């Protein structure tokens, strides 16, 4: 094996500086490739990690957005329910006020009739009183 290397070097030595330059360029190129390939690989891995983080962040944002939408929907449903209960309560109050108003009108009517009766009785009492007092 050593003899083969010696013969190869001897063969190249006699062929001129062109081959030596080509081999030197190949060695330099191989050295550059050995140094650059890991850097490129690391760069690509970093880009992949960045893309994965971006996708994860997008998924988290979408999940949070969906959660907010569910919360907003629940709040809206509660608001609608509260508004419906408020409307029912207002309708009940309106009906109760109508009943109380009719009772008040009936009470006022009875009071008016009672007042008319009392006036009639007062006139009769005055008449009786004037008859009794004047006959004495």
């Amino acid at each position: 094996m050593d003899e083969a290397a010696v013969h190869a070097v001897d063969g190249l030595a006699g062929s001129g500086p062109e081959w030596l330059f080509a081999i030197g360029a190949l060695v330099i190129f191989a050295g550059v490739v050995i140094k650059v390939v890991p850097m490129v690989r690391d760069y690509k891995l970093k880009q992949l990690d960045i893309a994965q983080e971006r996708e994860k962040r997008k998924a988290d944002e979408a999940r949070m957005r969906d959660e907010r939408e569910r919360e907003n929907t629940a709040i809206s449903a509660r608001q609608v329910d509260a508004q419906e209960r408020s409307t029912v309560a207002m309708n009940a109050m309106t009906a109760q006020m109508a009943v109380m108003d009719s009772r008040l009108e009936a009470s006022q009517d009875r009071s008016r009739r009672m007042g008319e009766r009392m006036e009639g009785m007062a006139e009769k009492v005055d008449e009786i009183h004037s008859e009794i007092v004047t006959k004495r």
Side-chain angles (χ1 to χ4, degrees):
M1 179 102 175
D2 289 335
E3 288 179 22
V6 169
H7 289 295
V9 170
D10 286 341
L12 289 176
S15 62
E18 298 88 25
W19 282 101
L20 187 60
F21 176 77
I23 290 175
L26 285 175
V27 168
I28 291 172
F29 180 73
V32 169
V33 167
I34 289 172
K35 296 291 184 178
V36 169
V37 167
M39 285 196 270
V40 169
R41 187 190 64 211
D42 290 343
Y43 175 77
K44 296 255 183 192
L45 287 174
K46 284 180 185 177
Q47 293 298 321
L48 184 61
D49 288 343
I50 290 171
Q52 287 174 344
E53 288 177 12
R54 184 181 310 124
E55 290 302 318
K56 183 179 182 259
R57 190 172 48 250
K58 284 180 182 179
D60 289 344
E61 288 173 358
R63 182 184 47 76
M64 291 173 65
R65 189 172 34 255
D66 290 343
E67 186 176 328
R68 272 194 309 272
E69 287 176 8
R70 280 191 301 273
E71 289 173 357
N72 287 340
T73 301
I75 288 170
S76 295
R78 285 194 300 265
Q79 286 176 337
V80 167
D81 185 45
Q83 189 172 4
E84 286 174 357
R85 283 183 286 161
S86 176
T87 301
V88 168
M90 293 282 284
N91 290 340
M93 288 294 288
T94 302
Q96 187 177 12
M97 291 298 291
V99 168
M100 291 180 78
D101 188 43
S102 67
R103 286 184 180 173
L104 181 62
E105 287 176 8
S107 176
Q108 287 174 343
D109 188 43
R110 285 193 307 270
S111 293
R112 185 180 40 77
R113 281 185 279 146
M114 185 183 288
E116 290 171 358
R117 259 198 231 155
M118 291 303 286
E119 285 179 20
M121 283 187 189
E123 288 175 9
K124 287 181 183 177
V125 168
D126 285 342
E127 199 176 295
I128 293 171
H129 182 267
S130 62
E131 283 290 323
I132 293 176
V133 172
T134 54
K135 283 191 176 183
R136 278 192 190 190

